Amino acid sequence: TGKCYHTFRGHSAEIVCLSFNPQSTLLATGSMDTTAKLWDLEKGEEVATLNGHSAEIITLSFNTTGDRIITGSFDHTVAVWDVGTGREQNILIKMPTNNNATGKYELRKWVQGSTAVPCLCVQLWDAVTGTHTATLVGHSREVLDVCFDYTGQRIATASADGSARVYNAGTKQCIAKLEGHEDEISKVS
């Protein structure tokens, strides 16, 4: 019908990402104001504000059971939050900051000898323990987006090299390389 049910207001800067909870009527928004907010879609009300990042939140997503949300920020951290309480549960990544970092999406530099090169891989982390579990490689330029499928069995990546890749989440092996775009792929879903 095109009817607007609710307009959510509360962030003090632009909203740059959002995610629907797969198991409830919650919507999460991430903002340039360094916060994420949880909203009840049926009531049209703010449920919680997730405070803890020191820079803009550029990505967020609920887990498949809907009880956790993960946020990624320009402060070089990725955090896991409890949806019920709005409290931070774990910091998965604390990236070192340095003066050599360049590029909007480049959170980490890999140093080979004295040459710094952009991160062309995806780092996988255990959301409960915060430990690193795997590195997915294969792209020739920066990885710009990553997502799991709904079953958690596959991981898709999008890259500035113009390709997308699909990995088996269990084996961590690339099972498909998708090519055909003439320029970078910035989002994958």
Side-chain angles (χ1 to χ4, degrees):
T1 65
K3 177 184 174 188
C4 177
Y5 286 99
H6 301 290
T7 300
F8 300 104
R9 300 191 196 294
H11 285 290
S12 62
E14 296 89 351
I15 296 170
V16 295
C17 53
L18 61 86
S19 180
F20 288 94
N21 189 317
Q23 303 298 329
S24 73
T25 62
L26 291 180
L27 171 74
T29 54
S31 173
M32 299 293 276
D33 68 9
T34 75
T35 69
K37 291 186 180 285
L38 300 178
W39 309 88
D40 186 304
L41 293 172
E42 289 183 351
K43 297 178 183 176
E45 299 173 349
E46 182 180 323
V47 175
T49 298
L50 311 179
N51 287 302
H53 286 292
S54 62
E56 300 91 335
I57 294 176
I58 56 171
T59 187
L60 54 76
S61 182
F62 287 94
N63 64 350
T64 56
T65 56
D67 62 340
R68 299 278 186 271
I69 188 166
I70 189 168
T71 55
S73 170
F74 276 149
D75 68 6
H76 303 276
T77 64
V78 174
V80 178
W81 307 82
D82 182 280
V83 170
T85 65
R87 292 190 179 152
E88 188 177 273
Q89 298 295 298
N90 206 346
I91 295 286
L92 295 186
I93 304 170
K94 178 63 175 168
M95 296 292 189
T97 57
N98 61 52
N99 294 332
N100 296 328
T102 59
K104 178 177 173 185
Y105 297 100
E106 190 176 342
L107 296 179
R108 187 173 200 168
K109 292 273 192 175
W110 293 97
V111 178
Q112 299 174 345
S114 61
T115 306
V117 296
C119 184
L120 311 176
C121 58
V122 173
Q123 302 294 332
L124 295 181
W125 303 81
D126 183 306
V128 175
T129 65
T131 57
H132 180 262
T133 61
T135 301
L136 307 180
V137 297
H139 287 291
S140 62
R141 292 188 58 204
E142 295 86 355
V143 175
L144 303 178
D145 195 29
V146 178
C147 73
F148 279 88
D149 71 354
Y150 289 111
T151 65
Q153 301 299 309
R154 294 182 195 95
I155 304 163
T157 61
S159 172
D161 68 12
S163 73
R165 290 177 177 260
V166 179
Y167 297 84
N168 178 300
T171 66
K172 315 304 187 272
Q173 298 298 311
C174 181
I175 57 175
K177 182 176 178 183
L178 311 174
E179 298 177 295
H181 288 283
E182 295 178 12
D183 206 344
E184 72 181 28
I185 301 173
S186 58
K187 287 292 192 185
V188 65
S189 180

